Amino acid sequence: MTAEELPVFPFGLPNELEHHQKYEDLRSHCPVPKVRLARGGGEALLVTRHHDARRIFSDPVFSRQAILDPDVPSLLAGSKIPDLLQNVDPPVHTRLRKLVVAAFTTGAVSRLRPRIQAIADELIDEMLAEGAPADFISRFGTPYPARVICMLLGVPREAVDQVVEWMFHILSLDETNEAVTAKAFEDLAAYCAGLITERRRQPEDDLITRLIHARDDQDRLSEDELLRLVWLLLGAGFETTANMIANCLVTFGHFPDQWQLLLERPDLIPGAIDEILRYVPIAHAGFERMATADTELSGVPVPAGSVVLPVLGSINFDSVVCQDPTRFDVTRAHTPHLGFGFGPHRCVGSPLALLELEIGLATLLRRLPGLRIAVPDTELEWKQGVAVRAMVRLPIIW
Ligand code: HEM
């Protein structure tokens, strides 16, 4: 097959049902297919089986750092930013990650519970006051996690909308927009540098201040490392959670009995969130890796230099993860899904994401029990050219 004849990835719209069948066939008959990437047109291998994905997430033969070479194909413009936590390999990664974890503890996150609850309630109050129908994305999906991560980091409320706009451009897969993306990078970096300078002068009870003071013995974050981290956490902190909640409502729309069950049994919410993380692929793929030596996956040769992409919509539906994987079941016992990745790069924001999802879902169930999507699936408008599975708008009624 010539490069032009290869299937282009990501495959069309995120229509779950159509993709489930396609990925099941791939897992059974062609578990590591070659594709052409939508952005840049380079070639990559998709990783569709759970076991292979765990391996590329954790085996040092698969490098994140090697992707930085400008000639190596990648799905996302942001993949090429050097020295970012997600783009470095051990031992550099191990050192940085230790310092981040020292500042971003579960304790520090759980102390935010009342403030996160207040943000969720405030947004619902506003939505109720305006009345149905409402666009869930602009009224709750985006502002909720954006306000939470900005509050956690110490970004003032009036800057939230601007940060959201910069991140939208940075996470774009659209090559025609590269000048806009570059400008957004620059502006966001300058803004974060200003915040760090301010916190050095006047420490506050926020994550930027904790990152400035984070220590591992004598080790501390350099100025440049600090800047990249603040920048990364801002970006990673809202786009993922925002779209996870919106996608989760679409999934409940397909399985209304599961929404009803949660209304009757809110004690099932933590388990429901685990199932949502398995069932809803937040992005078309996890971060790409490059094989640094000849190797194999499921018996398929993977030559040194190959780019591999773990496909979240497939690896969590492998029958080794759970029985009857296309059934969305909030009562399912915990599955070893890879919704937060695995190994050294496993999502560092997972304690925050879990708390936001729990408070967000519980508040929606409690305050909008009759919530329904106002349009059929065929009328859902998906964003094109972005890394995450995101909708332009999601009309809801209650
Ligand atoms: C539901 C929400 C979220 C999901 C589903 C999610 C998912 C993931 C996944 C799958 C990875 C690993 C990707 C890979 O190795 O290929 C990851 C990494 C990461 N996530 Fe999240 N994430 C979420 C929320 C967050 C939040 C709220 C933050 C920060 C506040 C965050 C920060 C990060 C960072 C910094 C990394 C890179 C970690 C490293 O390389 O060591 N994420 N996330």
Side-chain angles (χ1 to χ4, degrees), residues 270-328:
I273 286 165
D274 198 48
E275 175 69 344
I276 288 162
L277 286 162
R278 178 190 76 82
Y279 196 90
V280 177
I282 185 58
H284 302 290
F287 305 133
E288 55 272 81
R289 271 87 173 155
M290 194 183 97
T292 55
D294 288 348
T295 182
E296 58 74 40
L297 290 165
S298 283
V300 178
V302 177
S306 306
V307 172
V308 293
L309 274 170
V311 182
L312 296 172
S314 179
I315 58 183
N316 290 331
F317 290 81
D318 195 323
S319 54
V320 303
V321 180
C322 60
Q323 294 300 309
D324 197 5
T326 56
R327 187 170 50 89
F328 176 66

Side-chain angles (χ1 to χ4, degrees), residues 4 18 25 55 68 83 97 99 109 116 140 199 210 215 224 231 263-264 295 313 316-317 337 339 342 380 386 388:
E4 283 66 40
E18 182 194 312
D25 292 346
R55 185 153 157 246
L68 295 178
D83 304 327
R97 175 98 183 190
L99 286 161
V109 168
I116 298 179
F140 191 92
R199 288 304 180 277
R210 281 199 298 281
R215 281 179 178 282
D224 196 38
W231 185 100
L263 283 173
E264 288 156 18
T295 182
N316 290 331
F317 290 81
H337 66 74
F342 178 73
L380 289 177
V386 287
V388 289

Side-chain angles (χ1 to χ4, degrees), residues 6-149:
L6 288 171
V8 175
F9 185 83
F11 302 137
L13 289 177
N15 178 335
E16 278 153 21
L17 299 177
E18 182 194 312
H19 286 185
H20 285 327
Q21 189 55 53
K22 185 195 282 266
Y23 287 133
E24 195 186 320
D25 292 346
L26 287 172
R27 284 193 301 276
S28 305
H29 305 295
C30 178
V32 193
K34 193 182 268 188
V35 293
R36 194 153 54 85
L37 297 180
R39 184 186 164 278
E43 290 177 16
L45 297 172
L46 296 187
V47 175
T48 64
R49 286 186 181 166
H50 180 87
H51 176 80
D52 290 335
R54 282 171 79 99
R55 185 153 157 246
I56 69 160
F57 278 131
S58 56
D59 184 336
V61 78
F62 294 101
S63 162
R64 283 286 307 145
Q65 210 156 316
I67 297 289
L68 295 178
D69 180 333
D71 294 332
V72 174
S74 74
L75 196 58
L76 185 64
S79 298
K80 300 283 186 189
I81 306 166
D83 304 327
L84 219 51
L85 181 68
Q86 75 216 42
N87 292 347
V88 287
D89 293 335
V92 177
H93 178 266
T94 320
R95 174 186 160 261
L96 269 183
R97 175 98 183 190
K98 251 189 180 172
L99 286 161
V100 181
V101 169
F104 204 164
T105 58
T106 308
V109 168
S110 61
R111 280 199 299 278
L112 296 174
R113 180 180 277 275
R115 294 171 71 192
I116 298 179
Q117 182 65 64
I119 292 174
D121 277 321
E122 188 187 2
L123 289 166
I124 305 262
D125 287 343
E126 287 167 15
M127 206 150 63
L128 287 173
E130 294 233 339
D135 170 28
F136 181 79
I137 305 283
S138 58
R139 303 315 306 246
F140 191 92
T142 302
Y144 169 60
R147 285 187 199 177
V148 170
I149 190 67

Side-chain angles (χ1 to χ4, degrees), residues 175 195 251 302 323:
E175 281 172 286
L195 274 181
T251 302
V302 177
Q323 294 300 309

Side-chain angles (χ1 to χ4, degrees), residues 57 64 84-88 93 97 100 104 145 149 152-153 207 229 232-238 240-242 244-245 277 280 282 285-289 310 312 338-350 352-354 356-357:
F57 278 131
R64 283 286 307 145
L84 219 51
L85 181 68
Q86 75 216 42
N87 292 347
V88 287
H93 178 266
R97 175 98 183 190
V100 181
F104 204 164
I149 190 67
L152 174 68
L153 278 160
L207 186 57
L229 266 173
L232 169 67
L233 292 173
L234 262 181
F238 80 85
T240 40
T241 315
M244 192 51 131
I245 301 178
L277 286 162
V280 177
I282 185 58
F287 305 133
E288 55 272 81
R289 271 87 173 155
L312 296 172
L338 303 172
F340 281 133
F342 178 73
H345 289 280
R346 187 180 184 279
C347 181
V348 79
S350 58
L352 177 64
L354 286 171
E356 284 180 289
L357 291 174

